[in-house]
């Protein structure tokens, strides 16, 4: 069973830092790109960052570029999101995500299925 468990959220003052963790299990971690999303009250879920499986390439949303850093530890099956210079606008529930390929028959046909963690709350006070 695929599981993603986020941790590390909390309350921090503007300008502060937090490090989020996403511990994964139930799939071949090394083979998949892992992403971080966030959702603030009344807003749509927003992509924050992702890190590829192949070469560890990283990508960031415009609103967090230069402040957040994503990394992965394949041995620990964990992805991290280091957040610095936090702003009140970063307040949201943060989720990690993986899109896993599921083989559905003996011929090898497959579909992709999204998995999400339960989320961790980040609150930045002004």
């Amino acid at each position: 069973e695929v599981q993603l468990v986020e941790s590390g959220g909390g309350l921090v003052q503007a300008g502060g830092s937090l490090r989020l963790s996403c511990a994964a299990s139930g799939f071949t971690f090394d083979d998949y790109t892992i992403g971080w999303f966030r959702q603030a009250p009344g807003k749509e879920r927003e992509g924050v960052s992702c890190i590829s499986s192949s070469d560890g390439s990283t990508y960031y949303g415009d609103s967090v570029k230069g402040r957040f850093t994503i990394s992965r530890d394949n041995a620990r099956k964990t992805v991290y999101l280091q957040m610095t210079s936090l702003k009140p606008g970063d307040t949201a529930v943060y989720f990690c995500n993986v899109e896993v390929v599921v083989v559905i028959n003996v011929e090898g046909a497959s579909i992709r299925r999204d998995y999400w963690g339960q989320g961790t709350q980040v609150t930045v006070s002004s």
Side-chain angles (χ1 to χ4, degrees):
E1 179 187 3
V2 173
Q3 285 193 325
L4 300 169
V5 180
E6 301 95 335
S7 61
L11 173 63
V12 64
Q13 288 189 330
S17 300
L18 283 174
R19 189 177 82 154
L20 306 184
S21 300
C22 172
S25 61
F27 63 100
T28 308
F29 182 81
D30 302 23
D31 290 349
Y32 289 94
T33 293
I34 307 294
W36 282 99
F37 290 74
R38 67 186 182 186
Q39 189 165 21
K43 295 189 177 181
E44 292 189 355
R45 195 166 291 190
E46 170 192 21
V48 173
S49 181
C50 65
I51 183 165
S52 75
S53 59
S54 54
D55 60 2
S57 295
T58 58
Y59 305 89
Y60 300 93
D62 290 337
S63 61
V64 306
K65 205 172 294 183
R67 300 187 297 122
F68 290 11
T69 303
I70 191 171
S71 61
R72 66 190 295 158
D73 184 336
N74 287 342
R76 295 180 183 272
K77 298 185 179 181
T78 300
V79 172
Y80 303 98
L81 186 69
Q82 179 68 49
M83 307 186 295
T84 63
S85 301
L86 283 162
K87 306 174 182 179
D90 295 318
T91 295
V93 179
Y94 284 71
F95 301 88
C96 61
N97 165 269
V98 65
E99 192 179 59
V100 175
V101 174
V102 180
V103 176
I104 61 172
N105 64 28
V106 295
E107 285 81 27
S110 62
I111 56 175
R112 291 181 175 271
R113 177 176 173 179
D114 261 334
Y115 290 90
W116 298 88
Q118 82 289 350
T120 186
Q121 176 71 48
V122 172
T123 303
V124 184
S125 63
S126 56

